[in-house]
Amino acid sequence: MTASRLRLQFYTLGAILAVAVVATRGAEPPIIAKARAYLGADAALTGVKSIHYAGTLVTTDPKEANKETRAAMEIIFQKPEQQWISITTDKGTETTALDGYEGWMQRKSAANPANTQLTLLGPEQIRRMIANTWENLWFFRGIEKFGGKLEDQGTKVMDGVTCQKIAFIHRPNIVFFRYFDVATGRLVFTETEAGGTIREKGEMIVGGIRFPRSIVTSSGKSATAEDQVVTINFEKITVNETFPAKTFAVPPPPR
């Protein structure tokens, strides 16, 4: 499982929007305030500058449900538009990073550290990483300032819970549909524009903010691939560390 493929499972895929009740630009649906309050105090949410996750990535083989692969994983998001993901197995390490409008991926072999491959990411991959960074740092508010918009798509029952469905539209082909419990504001379910799903399980309170203890993503079946399930179990979450620019900058090409 590569970092780039994992990243796509967080925020890619594309289906046509259903009938939409469009919220006026700048008029925030009331459920957003409730969803933020469920996570923590407004001051704690707006004060977040960075989030650092450390945990284990578990990938299930679509053809053999009992077969799993595991890898150590670290994820960093830092405002305004920086992201760093590292996945390490006994075979090596793959690092993917975003630094504003630059993105890159580097693979290092464990058996031969000198065997390093560096790839610069294309515009579409970078746009998706920017959207993913926003989704993790801004806690549902302010997408309009970044060129996106919200659409309130009414209520729907999800997992037996009456939910408010809100579309977070970064671009026509980069959309998160989030279902919030009408009663509490809890995020019940997320799907992406082509049918991928994201569910959060458990909770950890860090810096006065409620974080999930694990995230389960499903790519959804397509014409060319089976449904693949990926789980990230977080063992440590740190808020507001300061990461130097070199963490995200494009490394020099391998010799």
Side-chain angles (χ1 to χ4, degrees):
M1 180 66 170
T2 66
S4 56
R5 180 170 174 80
L6 170 69
R7 187 176 61 252
L8 291 177
Q9 291 185 9
F10 270 104
Y11 49 78
T12 64
L13 315 136
I16 299 174
L17 295 177
V19 177
V21 182
V22 181
T24 304
R25 181 177 291 272
E28 180 181 276
I31 194 65
I32 297 299
K34 185 176 285 190
R36 285 171 60 87
Y38 181 83
L39 295 178
D42 197 68
L45 300 181
T46 56
V48 170
K49 300 294 187 293
S50 72
I51 304 173
H52 182 189
Y53 298 93
T56 303
L57 174 71
V58 182
T59 306
T60 302
D61 190 325
K63 297 180 180 179
E64 297 181 56
N66 295 326
K67 186 177 180 180
E68 297 180 341
T69 58
R70 292 177 175 265
M73 184 174 194
E74 279 192 76
I75 307 172
I76 297 170
F77 297 103
Q78 182 164 272
K79 288 183 178 177
E81 293 173 340
Q82 291 177 317
Q83 179 184 147
W84 182 90
I85 299 174
S86 177
I87 298 175
T88 302
T89 67
D90 55 358
K91 295 181 179 180
T93 299
E94 181 173 288
T95 303
T96 308
L98 170 74
D99 188 14
Y101 291 97
E102 292 185 320
W104 53 273
M105 180 173 65
Q106 186 178 66
R107 293 189 178 98
K108 290 186 177 182
S109 168
N112 181 10
N115 183 7
T116 300
Q117 298 176 339
L118 177 65
T119 303
L120 298 182
L121 303 182
E124 183 62 23
Q125 292 170 298
I126 291 171
R127 284 191 285 267
R128 292 184 180 279
M129 292 182 73
I130 290 173
N132 185 236
T133 300
W134 184 92
E135 290 287 335
N136 280 274
L137 288 172
W138 297 90
F139 302 101
F140 313 132
R141 176 170 288 165
I143 193 172
E144 297 85 359
K145 296 178 181 179
F146 293 84
K149 65 179 181 178
L150 300 182
E151 286 185 352
D152 186 338
Q153 300 191 344
T155 59
K156 183 174 180 179
V157 176
M158 183 64 64
D159 295 345
V161 178
T162 300
C163 297
Q164 196 74 29
K165 181 181 179 182
I166 305 294
F168 291 76
I169 305 173
H170 295 268
R171 287 174 171 266
N173 65 331
I174 304 176
V175 185
F176 293 83
F177 301 96
R178 298 195 181 273
Y179 296 79
F180 299 99
D181 184 343
V182 169
T184 66
R186 177 178 67 91
L187 177 61
V188 175
F189 182 76
T190 301
E191 60 185 347
T192 53
E193 74 275 5
T197 65
I198 306 167
R199 293 181 182 273
E200 300 180 353
K201 295 185 177 182
E203 66 177 40
M204 298 172 64
I205 306 297
V206 180
I209 300 173
R210 192 191 308 262
F211 290 94
R213 196 167 281 277
S214 63
I215 294 177
V216 181
T217 70
S218 173
S219 60
K221 290 185 177 181
S222 69
T224 58
E226 292 291 322
D227 184 22
Q228 186 169 42
V229 177
V230 176
T231 302
I232 304 176
N233 297 311
F234 298 124
E235 292 147 18
K236 184 178 180 180
I237 301 175
T238 309
V239 174
N240 287 340
E241 292 177 85
T242 299
F243 297 93
K246 66 180 181 180
T247 303
F248 312 94
V250 179
R255 295 181 179 179

